[in-house]
Amino acid sequence: MCVVPEQPQNLSCIQKGERGTVTCTWDRGRDTHLYTAYTLQLNGPKNLTWQKQCNGHYCDHLDLGVNLTPELPESSYTAKVTAINSLGTASSFPSTFTFLDIVRPLPPWDVRIKCVNASVSRCILQWNDEGLVLLNRLRYRPNSSGAWKMVSATNTKGRHDLLDLKPFTEYEFQISAKLHLYKGSWSDWSEPLRTQTPEEEPTGTLDVWYMKQHIDYSRQHISLFWKNMSISEARGKILHYHVTLQEVAGGKVTLQNITEHTSWTWVIPRTGNWVVTVSAANSKGSSLPTRINITDLCGAELLAPRQVSANSKGVDNIMVTWEPPGKAAPAVQEYVVEWKELHPRGGTQPPLNWLRSNPSNVSALISENIKPYSCYEISVYALSGHQRGCSSIRGNSKPKAPRSGPHINAISEEKGSVLISWTEIPAQEKMGCLLHYRIYWKEQDSNTQPQLCEIPYRVSPNSHSIDNLQPSVTYVLWMTALTAAGESPPGNEREFCLQGKASWSVFVAPSICVAVVMVGIFSVRYFRQKVFVLLLALRPQWCSKEIPDPANSTWAKKYSIVEEKTQLALDRLLTDWPNPEEPETLVITEVLHQVTPVFRHPYHPKWPDKGQGVQGHYNSEEDTGYSASSLPPSKTFIAETGQLVDLYKMLGSRGPDSKPGHLASPLTVLPVDYLPTHEGYLPSNIQYLPSHEVPITDPLEELETQHISLSVFPSSSLHPLTFSCDKKLTLDRLKMGCSSLIL
């Protein structure tokens, strides 16, 4: 619908710069839907008039092309705009202004900054302005900040001193201008100047922390870590760090080192007290050194914080809380909260992170280098002078259930139990801190619910034994892992059958029953005899054969033994022991002893000197003594009690230089079955001798030095027997039997 033009509103005019032209703008109102012409008219001093028309439906501004000069800055100018179409006319209200009101200076240009003596203590900002500019304003800010700092200056003549700039900081500077304090408008802001201020000597101290690790009994490994200084503290580019190590007792610097890294490692003795200092240096100087004593971080148990806990706070934050260390709480100067990733992805060494907290605080929110679904080892240290106490816990931010279960790689039997070994879950699949492992098992092809064993993660990180499996039963085993968010899927399944012996309790009851039955059977004489008959029947045939008689030997009838004299003097018995270096001669003497029990104090013979052999033994005072009292004739030997005792062969040895009457040592007496006599051999199993035959006593046999042993075993130093007899010894005279072996 076509309408009459509305009255133009908000007419304003402006001239950009001293050499610019006047441009006016207005609001034309609603659309007339007709051709409408807009005419701009400017009236000035001395009846000067400028007029210009624009044709178009959307005309809302016009440039008159007129430059107002500053000769008459206070002269008034009036502007008016008129809209005309076929239906009518409408004019705006007139707008009156002066040169100073409408002229907007051009933005300053060629902005630059210069610091005196390369120091931020005094920096001069310079620029260029139009000649009529009276007022300037400056704004500047560090690049890292969003807020501007504003400064106004009058009659600056294109320069201004800045005294509050920070060293080694990127700044952005802008300037605008104005022709009058109260009239006119500000120019646009200049193009920004971005520059960095000069460096200054670092201020403050480094935040240093350390770790200790024992290598052996005499050496320890120390690792120092420090944080980068903030820009405000570094006040320049840190070129290197200066590290010194010294022993407190000596006072002399042991080691000096310069490094560009934020960590340093060295090996020092475990003895003595050590101090480390670290300082940062830039092109202007070094910071104050940070001094730290290398002591045991967990040496003071009384300073250990209590009830340490770690709770997830979002995706990348963990809230750590603790309680003061009891009575030692007033001595705490500060707390240090330390954390590092337990299983870093990619196999790189995890960075060590820490923050310090006032002794009044018992909580800390850690967020630096915290990643979701990762597990961290968190320690809280309480510092008091040179002493430290610590407590540790594991924590994570926003955990999930593990993506996979442990992989069982070996099952072995060990002392009746089953040792299960598995491979650690990859770090990217743990999805947080593992709390427990679960081992499941059930019998193969069984529909029953599986049994399980839950193991704390820190107790058995990769192996565990279970001992309640039955032998000779095939089991299926698998494992899962748990975080605070849930349980993982099952890992691989493994079959296993315990091959070890069954428990001893399985055999105890049957063994006892069998033993009772056997004892009952053998207590009956009838069954015992039957068993003996059965054993005799099973005896090998060679055990039942008779021993051949040596008298029937062909060899015995064909050959005879060489005759020797049987006279054996008594002085051959009482001789010294032979020299160990000379061969010994064994003498065999036929002796028949009447052994009579005699209770008397024992005689202690004169023992040979050191280096001479001794055979035989002697009895204590409480033993019953036996003495050889007589030498009976052949074939007769009767004790005073009327009973016959066995014959003994007395063996003795003497050297070639032995003298009669001197007994070297007690003689060893051996039991034998047959002993030689003047008329042949006497058996040792004679049942009875007439009591009227009295043995003939030989005074020489009553020597008190003779000590007779009743042992049935031969001496360990038995020598070959050599003797002589006046008659031939043939095998038809030799009798052998088994009765003499029964004492």
mmCIF file of all heavy atoms in Angstrom, residues 138-156:
data_model
loop_
_atom_site.group_PDB
_atom_site.id
_atom_site.type_symbol
_atom_site.label_atom_id
_atom_site.label_comp_id
_atom_site.label_asym_id
_atom_site.label_seq_id
_atom_site.Cartn_x
_atom_site.Cartn_y
_atom_site.Cartn_z
ATOM 1 N N LEU A 138 44.928 5.612 26.120
ATOM 2 C CA LEU A 138 45.705 4.403 25.830
ATOM 3 C C LEU A 138 45.057 3.220 26.548
ATOM 4 O O LEU A 138 44.546 3.360 27.677
ATOM 5 C CB LEU A 138 47.155 4.537 26.310
ATOM 6 C CG LEU A 138 48.088 5.533 25.624
ATOM 7 C CD1 LEU A 138 47.776 6.972 26.003
ATOM 8 C CD2 LEU A 138 49.525 5.207 26.005
ATOM 9 N N ARG A 139 45.129 2.104 25.888
ATOM 10 C CA ARG A 139 44.725 0.864 26.563
ATOM 11 C C ARG A 139 45.751 -0.225 26.227
ATOM 12 O O ARG A 139 46.240 -0.305 25.107
ATOM 13 C CB ARG A 139 43.310 0.437 26.187
ATOM 14 C CG ARG A 139 43.130 -0.007 24.745
ATOM 15 C CD ARG A 139 41.702 -0.439 24.504
ATOM 16 N NE ARG A 139 41.510 -0.987 23.152
ATOM 17 C CZ ARG A 139 40.335 -1.433 22.700
ATOM 18 N NH1 ARG A 139 39.255 -1.374 23.472
ATOM 19 N NH2 ARG A 139 40.242 -1.919 21.482
ATOM 20 N N TYR A 140 46.053 -1.066 27.242
ATOM 21 C CA TYR A 140 47.036 -2.145 27.039
ATOM 22 C C TYR A 140 46.706 -3.287 27.994
ATOM 23 O O TYR A 140 46.085 -3.093 29.049
ATOM 24 C CB TYR A 140 48.467 -1.636 27.254
ATOM 25 C CG TYR A 140 48.736 -1.021 28.609
ATOM 26 C CD1 TYR A 140 49.267 -1.780 29.654
ATOM 27 C CD2 TYR A 140 48.463 0.335 28.821
ATOM 28 C CE1 TYR A 140 49.528 -1.197 30.884
ATOM 29 C CE2 TYR A 140 48.713 0.910 30.047
ATOM 30 C CZ TYR A 140 49.248 0.146 31.086
ATOM 31 O OH TYR A 140 49.482 0.719 32.313
ATOM 32 N N ARG A 141 47.175 -4.439 27.605
ATOM 33 C CA ARG A 141 46.913 -5.645 28.398
ATOM 34 C C ARG A 141 47.910 -6.732 28.015
ATOM 35 O O ARG A 141 48.383 -6.777 26.875
ATOM 36 C CB ARG A 141 45.495 -6.142 28.187
ATOM 37 C CG ARG A 141 45.233 -6.615 26.767
ATOM 38 C CD ARG A 141 43.821 -7.101 26.563
ATOM 39 N NE ARG A 141 43.588 -7.489 25.166
ATOM 40 C CZ ARG A 141 42.407 -7.918 24.716
ATOM 41 N NH1 ARG A 141 41.363 -7.978 25.532
ATOM 42 N NH2 ARG A 141 42.256 -8.252 23.445
ATOM 43 N N PRO A 142 48.213 -7.628 28.958
ATOM 44 C CA PRO A 142 48.987 -8.820 28.566
ATOM 45 C C PRO A 142 48.144 -9.704 27.657
ATOM 46 O O PRO A 142 46.913 -9.738 27.755
ATOM 47 C CB PRO A 142 49.285 -9.504 29.902
ATOM 48 C CG PRO A 142 49.084 -8.455 30.947
ATOM 49 C CD PRO A 142 48.015 -7.554 30.410
ATOM 50 N N ASN A 143 48.815 -10.408 26.768
ATOM 51 C CA ASN A 143 48.071 -11.260 25.840
ATOM 52 C C ASN A 143 47.279 -12.344 26.561
ATOM 53 O O ASN A 143 46.273 -12.828 26.043
ATOM 54 C CB ASN A 143 49.029 -11.908 24.844
ATOM 55 C CG ASN A 143 49.513 -10.893 23.812
ATOM 56 O OD1 ASN A 143 48.923 -9.823 23.644
ATOM 57 N ND2 ASN A 143 50.596 -11.235 23.125
ATOM 58 N N SER A 144 47.757 -12.739 27.717
ATOM 59 C CA SER A 144 47.075 -13.803 28.449
ATOM 60 C C SER A 144 45.878 -13.295 29.236
ATOM 61 O O SER A 144 45.151 -14.085 29.831
ATOM 62 C CB SER A 144 48.059 -14.474 29.413
ATOM 63 O OG SER A 144 48.599 -13.528 30.328
ATOM 64 N N SER A 145 45.650 -11.992 29.237
ATOM 65 C CA SER A 145 44.558 -11.415 30.026
ATOM 66 C C SER A 145 43.518 -10.819 29.091
ATOM 67 O O SER A 145 43.830 -10.334 27.995
ATOM 68 C CB SER A 145 45.096 -10.347 30.979
ATOM 69 O OG SER A 145 44.044 -9.710 31.662
ATOM 70 N N GLY A 146 42.270 -10.803 29.541
ATOM 71 C CA GLY A 146 41.197 -10.241 28.728
ATOM 72 C C GLY A 146 40.832 -8.822 29.109
ATOM 73 O O GLY A 146 40.120 -8.141 28.368
ATOM 74 N N ALA A 147 41.267 -8.345 30.242
ATOM 75 C CA ALA A 147 40.900 -7.005 30.715
ATOM 76 C C ALA A 147 41.939 -5.978 30.281
ATOM 77 O O ALA A 147 43.147 -6.216 30.369
ATOM 78 C CB ALA A 147 40.778 -7.014 32.239
ATOM 79 N N TRP A 148 41.425 -4.837 29.819
ATOM 80 C CA TRP A 148 42.300 -3.754 29.387
ATOM 81 C C TRP A 148 42.576 -2.812 30.549
ATOM 82 O O TRP A 148 41.737 -2.607 31.422
ATOM 83 C CB TRP A 148 41.654 -2.939 28.261
ATOM 84 C CG TRP A 148 41.518 -3.688 26.958
ATOM 85 C CD1 TRP A 148 40.436 -4.384 26.534
ATOM 86 C CD2 TRP A 148 42.488 -3.754 25.926
ATOM 87 N NE1 TRP A 148 40.650 -4.908 25.289
ATOM 88 C CE2 TRP A 148 41.920 -4.534 24.878
ATOM 89 C CE3 TRP A 148 43.776 -3.262 25.751
ATOM 90 C CZ2 TRP A 148 42.584 -4.805 23.695
ATOM 91 C CZ3 TRP A 148 44.436 -3.528 24.573
ATOM 92 C CH2 TRP A 148 43.862 -4.304 23.563
ATOM 93 N N LYS A 149 43.754 -2.237 30.517
ATOM 94 C CA LYS A 149 44.071 -1.159 31.439
ATOM 95 C C LYS A 149 44.070 0.147 30.651
ATOM 96 O O LYS A 149 44.756 0.257 29.630
ATOM 97 C CB LYS A 149 45.422 -1.384 32.091
ATOM 98 C CG LYS A 149 45.708 -0.373 33.188
ATOM 99 C CD LYS A 149 46.963 -0.727 33.975
ATOM 100 C CE LYS A 149 47.179 0.262 35.101
ATOM 101 N NZ LYS A 149 48.374 -0.065 35.913
ATOM 102 N N MET A 150 43.260 1.150 31.118
ATOM 103 C CA MET A 150 43.067 2.401 30.375
ATOM 104 C C MET A 150 43.874 3.523 31.017
ATOM 105 O O MET A 150 43.975 3.635 32.234
ATOM 106 C CB MET A 150 41.586 2.794 30.365
ATOM 107 C CG MET A 150 40.663 1.735 29.806
ATOM 108 S SD MET A 150 40.860 1.499 28.029
ATOM 109 C CE MET A 150 40.291 3.078 27.431
ATOM 110 N N VAL A 151 44.439 4.375 30.147
ATOM 111 C CA VAL A 151 45.198 5.550 30.572
ATOM 112 C C VAL A 151 44.800 6.729 29.657
ATOM 113 O O VAL A 151 44.787 6.578 28.432
ATOM 114 C CB VAL A 151 46.716 5.313 30.500
ATOM 115 C CG1 VAL A 151 47.473 6.603 30.855
ATOM 116 C CG2 VAL A 151 47.128 4.199 31.416
ATOM 117 N N SER A 152 44.444 7.877 30.252
ATOM 118 C CA SER A 152 44.129 9.102 29.488
ATOM 119 C C SER A 152 45.265 10.092 29.650
ATOM 120 O O SER A 152 45.837 10.237 30.749
ATOM 121 C CB SER A 152 42.825 9.740 29.974
ATOM 122 O OG SER A 152 41.740 8.876 29.715
ATOM 123 N N ALA A 153 45.569 10.794 28.563
ATOM 124 C CA ALA A 153 46.679 11.738 28.585
ATOM 125 C C ALA A 153 46.336 12.958 27.734
ATOM 126 O O ALA A 153 45.723 12.835 26.668
ATOM 127 C CB ALA A 153 47.953 11.078 28.068
ATOM 128 N N THR A 154 46.707 14.153 28.224
ATOM 129 C CA THR A 154 46.419 15.408 27.531
ATOM 130 C C THR A 154 47.728 16.018 27.050
ATOM 131 O O THR A 154 48.736 16.020 27.773
ATOM 132 C CB THR A 154 45.695 16.384 28.471
ATOM 133 O OG1 THR A 154 44.532 15.757 28.989
ATOM 134 C CG2 THR A 154 45.295 17.647 27.730
ATOM 135 N N ASN A 155 47.678 16.559 25.836
ATOM 136 C CA ASN A 155 48.858 17.203 25.258
ATOM 137 C C ASN A 155 50.085 16.289 25.330
ATOM 138 O O ASN A 155 51.167 16.670 25.759
ATOM 139 C CB ASN A 155 49.152 18.538 25.955
ATOM 140 C CG ASN A 155 48.061 19.572 25.720
ATOM 141 O OD1 ASN A 155 47.499 19.652 24.616
ATOM 142 N ND2 ASN A 155 47.768 20.356 26.733
ATOM 143 N N THR A 156 49.909 15.077 24.940
ATOM 144 C CA THR A 156 50.991 14.094 25.021
ATOM 145 C C THR A 156 52.029 14.292 23.945
ATOM 146 O O THR A 156 53.176 13.847 24.084
ATOM 147 C CB THR A 156 50.406 12.678 24.899
ATOM 148 O OG1 THR A 156 49.725 12.579 23.652
ATOM 149 C CG2 THR A 156 49.467 12.390 26.043
#
